[in-house]
Amino acid sequence: MTVLCAHCGEVAPTPPFLALGDVDQRPACCPGCAAAMALIHDLGLDDYYRLRGADGGAAPDGDERDRALALFDVPELLAAHRQPDPAGERLTLALSGLTCAACCWLIEKAASDIPGVVSVRTNLAAMTLTLVHDRPEAPRAVAERLLKLGYGVTLPGDPAAEAGQRREARRLLGRLALAGLGAMQAMMYSAALYLGAFEGGDEVYAWVFRIASFLVATPVVFYAGWPFFQGAWRGLRAGRPGMDLPVALALGLAWAGSLVNMALGGSHVYFDSAAMFVFFLLLSRWLEQRQRHRVRAAWRRLRDALPLVVRRLDGDRETWVASRQVRAGDRLRLAQGETVPVDGAVVDGEARVAESALTGEPLPVAVSAGAMVRAGARVLEGDLTLDAAAPVAESLVARIGEQVARAEEERLPLVRDWGRVGPLFTLGVLVLAAITLALHWSAGPALAFEHTLAVLVVTCPCALALAVPLTVSASLSAALKEGVLIASPSQLLALNEVRGVLFDKTGTLTEGCFELVGSQRPDGATGADDNAPLLAIAAALEQGHPHPLARAFDGLAPDRSVTDIRVRADGAEGQRHGHRWEIGPAPVDGPGPCAATTLMLSEDGVPRLRLFLRDRVRSEAVPVAAALRARGWRLRLASGDSEAPVAALARTLELDAHRARQTPDDKAAWLRELSRAEGPQMMVGDGINDAPALLEASVSVATANATSLARRAAGLYLLHSRLDALAALPDLARRARRRIHQNLGWALGYNLLAVPLAMAGWIPPWAAALGMSASSLLVTFNAARLARWPSSFS
């Protein structure tokens, strides 16, 4: 007979575990559940099992329990979630494992008698616990007790700003729902009036319908439409009337004019037009808000993937510390299922890690000693020990956040122009409305008012204002989803004008994984044993150099007698027994392996050893180069490497031109020369020596392995380790520019056509509201299509 655990419901072994002190001798599946049952019994809360019934939840394992409790030992983590309270402090915690009201009852009862706890309140729907306490140790004690009971407890992952955004979105959605319901009801009442259903003796019913329309439309205008009145007042107070002014004026006139007309016994009311106007305008604003938050949501998903605590190794002892306390050089241990908190190098262990949260690649990759892993990667199988390369704030995820903020802050020329033209557009609409009122005044005030209202309603500054920002936002979202971070939207749009590409070689078109394939002394000696002392000196000079060439010496034992090592852009130098040793590019190409990169080790300026290194071409470099060439772009290569390997790579990729032994200033100068002769150029690089050229280029792209300086200099950044995205970026730029032209063309064409018709009196207010809203919606939907841009990076 199968015996189930009385606490969690899992199958219990034979014989089962028993809780100490439990007079009913209820079975448990494990010591953890038995301990939880004993605690519940000791607290006198056995009614929990009666209230709960047969449902239950499993207790977290030891590692999860230790990790959760470690959060409460770091005041900096708790500070973000604390709020002052008259009785002390209020702390909100996130819960898991709650299944019914009995769970809430148990948690509140179990936590309420802990010293320092003033009150405990659980929310089953939100899975949260609000704790008011007057002792600093109370939160950890509560968490420890809840973990022992088998519930999960941790700190909320969302900061206050995101909560405010959600509240704003909910409020806007509520206004939209009210406006939709009100517009439908008002239209139903007004339809009968438009059709003349109450003519010929049924005027009392016409009054009833007008009053009903007034009662329905009033909250729509003044509650759902309040953001437009607020925006109009804000613009007037700042002396810069915006697009909200004609909207608010139209709403106010439609409501007030209808009320006055109804009071004077007139037949024309526009409550339905005002309500419908608010609904469609709010619908456009809601869609705009969703589109604008897409990039932020993508960044939040990356940021929220990082753990709050991690195990740091201090000798043989493991200590849980906050991820933000990790510094470069700290040794960390990661077990299966954990997420890497910082960028680092694996020093021990083998594992399969998933980087889908960062790169979008669905397949896990195998890593072992020597491999680099990035913050946000999740260990699927195995265990790893790694050395942190930098703090959390300098990880790739953090840099993505900085560049997302940079992209959001950038103002495109068209957006800046609209910022200057917008107030003039608004004033122009008001002037045209006044002209319309004067033109039709002779036909009667009521008719003149109707035509004036139609002019105010039909104009669509929103479509003009949204045409560019929404398209850019959709482009950022689509690119980030496919593994390309756009830090400068203007550079993305500039891709349409590019005439050529200048590539760096090492680490860009090649893998940047050099291996030492040979060495030769001036006397012709090539044996490894003969050159071993000199190779050790070279290894000592290169061990701290960030260039990929230096990694070819990592497997060699360095000469410890080399001191005062100084890293240079073109190599390194140091002192050994009173002599100056230096390593750098060989001054001239000499005999050696075909297409090998050649370095020279010198003592006091005298050549001592020629070193031959070889790198592998990226597998995707050939098809990417072919795709860019098919667009009519001219492809060139600039490298600080020697002539032989540069020329060999240029032949392999069929490039139009190449230059070897280029300094950073040489690359930037060549790029300026090409820009003057042909037009805008794109630069693709990864190293410190590429930064001047990246800054000089009209479009600059940093690869996934780029240095910090190169990333900051670039306007576009590849998150994938491959170059395939380069071939797809021009297509995204073309689509983005086409969407902008479509949206601007439609918005301008609509206003040029609709405004004269409204001034002529051919468009009633209800049709004007529909046309204005439809124009904004069309622009929004057209821009949103770009966010669903099909992937072509695979």
Side-chain angles (χ1 to χ4, degrees):
M1 178 178 177
T2 301
V3 179
L4 300 181
C5 177
H7 183 70
C8 70
E10 295 292 331
V11 176
T14 303
F17 293 92
L18 298 176
L20 296 176
D22 185 6
V23 296
D24 295 330
Q25 295 292 291
R26 287 171 293 194
C29 65
C30 64
C33 285
M37 292 168 63
L39 177 62
I40 292 172
H41 174 73
D42 292 340
L43 293 172
L45 302 176
D46 293 280
D47 284 343
Y48 163 69
Y49 295 105
R50 179 179 57 81
L51 292 171
R52 184 194 64 177
D55 296 331
D61 59 31
D63 284 345
E64 288 293 331
R65 184 183 298 112
D66 293 342
R67 188 180 302 112
L69 288 176
L71 301 178
F72 296 87
D73 293 332
V74 184
E76 293 81 2
L77 296 179
L78 295 174
H81 308 285
R82 280 175 170 159
Q83 292 181 340
D85 188 271
E89 284 187 336
R90 186 169 65 254
L91 178 65
T92 300
L93 303 176
L95 299 174
S96 60
L98 281 71
T99 58
C100 59
C103 295
C104 298
W105 177 87
L106 175 63
I107 288 173
E108 292 176 359
K109 292 293 185 180
S112 60
D113 66 341
I114 293 177
V117 173
V118 178
S119 66
V120 182
R121 188 176 67 255
T122 57
N123 186 325
L124 180 60
M127 301 286 278
T128 59
L129 180 147
T130 303
L131 173 68
V132 178
H133 63 93
D134 56 8
R135 292 188 184 181
E137 67 272 17
R140 193 186 193 282
V142 170
E144 187 171 9
R145 180 166 291 184
L146 297 185
L147 289 167
K148 286 182 179 179
L149 289 174
Y151 297 104
V153 56
T154 186
L155 299 176
D158 297 327
E162 294 174 17
Q165 290 179 4
R166 289 195 298 272
R167 285 194 299 270
E168 177 189 355
R170 286 196 299 269
R171 190 178 297 116
L172 180 58
L173 188 59
R175 295 182 193 273
L176 176 62
L178 174 64
L181 293 173
M184 287 190 294
Q185 291 296 323
M187 181 60 72
M188 290 173 59
Y189 295 133
S190 299
L193 298 175
Y194 290 144
L195 295 175
F198 304 115
E199 293 180 357
D202 291 331
E203 185 62 24
V204 63
Y205 296 108
W207 266 96
V208 171
F209 272 57
R210 291 192 190 103
I211 293 174
S213 182
F214 161 74
L215 293 176
V216 169
T218 298
V220 173
V221 171
F222 291 103
Y223 174 73
W226 178 250
F228 305 110
F229 292 103
Q230 194 176 37
W233 171 246
R234 191 182 298 116
L236 288 174
R237 188 172 56 185
R240 293 183 60 83
M243 69 182 74
D244 285 331
L245 181 58
V247 171
L249 189 59
L251 289 176
L253 288 176
W255 183 85
S258 299
L259 187 62
V260 170
N261 204 27
M262 185 174 65
L264 296 177
S267 59
H268 295 284
V269 293
Y270 311 102
F271 295 120
D272 58 318
S273 298
M276 187 167 59
F277 185 37
V278 171
F279 169 70
F280 283 112
L281 201 56
L282 283 177
L283 180 60
S284 175
R285 183 165 289 192
W286 178 68
L287 292 172
E288 172 202 351
Q289 184 189 69
R290 288 188 61 197
Q291 181 62 36
R292 191 173 60 245
H293 291 166
R294 284 181 182 270
V295 175
R296 294 178 184 173
W299 150 237
R300 283 198 301 268
R301 283 195 296 271
L302 287 176
R303 185 199 61 199
D304 293 344
L306 298 184
L308 295 176
V309 294
V310 65
R311 278 185 294 255
R312 184 173 63 191
L313 299 179
D314 298 320
D316 295 332
R317 186 168 59 93
E318 292 184 2
T319 306
W320 286 100
V321 298
S323 296
R324 293 191 174 277
Q325 293 177 316
V326 175
R327 295 294 178 262
D330 285 355
R331 183 151 294 186
L332 312 175
R333 192 174 78 82
L334 297 163
Q336 180 174 321
E338 295 182 346
T339 302
V340 181
V342 296
D343 297 347
V346 178
V347 295
D348 188 29
E350 295 182 355
R352 293 178 65 81
V353 300
E355 297 182 336
S356 56
L358 186 64
T359 65
E361 292 286 353
L363 298 179
V365 296
V367 297
S368 57
M372 290 293 299
V373 291
R374 293 173 176 166
R378 184 174 178 82
V379 181
L380 298 181
E381 299 177 6
D383 298 289
L384 292 176
T385 301
L386 60 88
D387 284 345
V392 171
E394 298 180 18
S395 67
L396 177 59
V397 173
R399 292 193 298 267
I400 290 174
E402 293 175 2
Q403 290 181 302
V404 167
R406 171 181 160 190
E408 289 180 337
E409 292 170 0
E410 181 174 339
R411 298 291 298 274
L412 295 175
L414 285 172
V415 177
R416 290 196 301 267
D417 293 343
W418 172 249
R420 292 190 290 266
V421 174
L424 299 178
F425 183 93
T426 301
L427 293 175
V429 170
L430 298 179
V431 170
L432 292 176
I435 293 174
T436 303
L437 183 66
L439 287 175
H440 294 280
W441 188 260
S442 59
L447 189 61
F449 175 79
E450 180 176 330
H451 296 333
T452 302
L453 185 61
V455 171
L456 288 171
V457 172
V458 80
T459 53
C460 191
C462 302
L464 284 170
L466 298 177
V468 178
L470 281 185
T471 304
V472 170
S473 177
S475 302
L476 294 176
S477 176
L480 188 59
K481 185 172 57 179
E482 299 296 342
V484 181
L485 180 62
I486 299 174
S488 173
S490 59
Q491 289 199 20
L492 173 68
L493 298 179
L495 271 170
N496 294 273
E497 311 299 330
V498 165
R499 294 292 176 266
V501 186
L502 183 62
F503 287 102
D504 172 53
K505 171 183 171 288
T506 303
T508 302
L509 293 176
T510 65
E511 295 179 359
C513 298
F514 284 89
E515 55 181 351
L516 185 64
V517 295
S519 60
Q520 185 180 48
R521 289 202 309 218
D523 59 9
T526 59
D529 294 337
D530 295 335
N531 297 334
L534 296 176
L535 291 174
I537 296 174
L541 293 172
E542 294 281 29
Q543 64 180 349
H545 203 294
H547 197 278
L549 283 169
R551 304 287 71 78
F553 299 90
D554 287 348
L556 301 176
D559 188 330
R560 300 299 180 185
S561 60
V562 179
T563 59
D564 299 328
I565 300 174
R566 186 171 67 89
V567 173
R568 306 184 316 223
D570 61 345
E573 64 180 44
Q575 296 291 324
R576 182 180 183 273
H577 301 324
H579 296 275
R580 184 171 66 89
W581 288 82
E582 57 184 332
I583 188 171
V588 294
D589 290 327
C594 178
T597 298
T598 307
L599 299 179
M600 182 65 76
L601 178 67
S602 303
E603 179 186 13
D604 295 329
V606 179
R608 294 301 185 194
L609 185 67
R610 188 183 293 269
L611 302 153
F612 306 110
L613 287 71
R614 184 172 292 161
D615 193 8
R616 291 190 299 271
V617 180
R618 290 182 181 269
S619 60
E620 72 275 12
V622 173
V624 167
L628 296 179
R629 192 182 307 108
R631 295 182 178 275
W633 294 1
R634 295 177 62 83
L635 310 183
R636 300 175 177 90
L637 175 63
S639 174
D641 208 345
S642 55
E643 175 65 26
V646 175
L649 180 60
R651 287 192 299 271
T652 301
L653 301 181
E654 300 180 12
L655 304 182
D656 296 287
H658 69 275
R659 290 185 182 180
R661 304 186 183 283
Q662 296 288 287
T663 66
D665 291 337
D666 291 338
K667 293 182 180 182
W670 192 18
L671 200 61
R672 282 194 296 271
E673 177 186 331
L674 293 172
S675 298
R676 287 193 296 266
E678 299 177 1
Q681 301 287 315
M682 181 168 76
M683 173 68 193
V684 184
D686 72 308
I688 295 174
N689 57 347
D690 298 319
L694 290 169
L695 291 171
E696 187 69 37
S698 300
V699 180
S700 52
V701 181
T703 58
N705 61 323
T707 62
S708 177
L709 186 59
R711 282 190 295 266
R712 292 183 181 276
L716 289 82
Y717 178 40
L718 305 183
L719 298 178
H720 294 284
S721 59
R722 296 173 58 86
L723 300 175
D724 305 83
L726 284 176
L729 278 174
D731 178 64
L732 176 60
R734 178 180 57 82
R735 290 170 183 264
R737 186 171 288 273
R738 187 168 64 188
R739 291 285 188 276
I740 289 175
H741 290 163
Q742 289 173 351
N743 288 343
L744 285 175
W746 164 256
L748 288 171
Y750 165 81
N751 282 284
L752 291 175
L753 178 65
V755 172
L757 294 177
M759 292 182 67
W762 293 352
I763 299 179
W766 65 267
L770 185 62
M772 181 272 182
S773 304
S775 178
S776 294
L777 289 175
L778 181 63
V779 167
T780 301
F781 279 122
N782 193 39
R785 288 169 54 208
L786 196 61
R788 297 187 294 272
W789 174 53
S791 172
S792 53
F793 292 0
S794 56

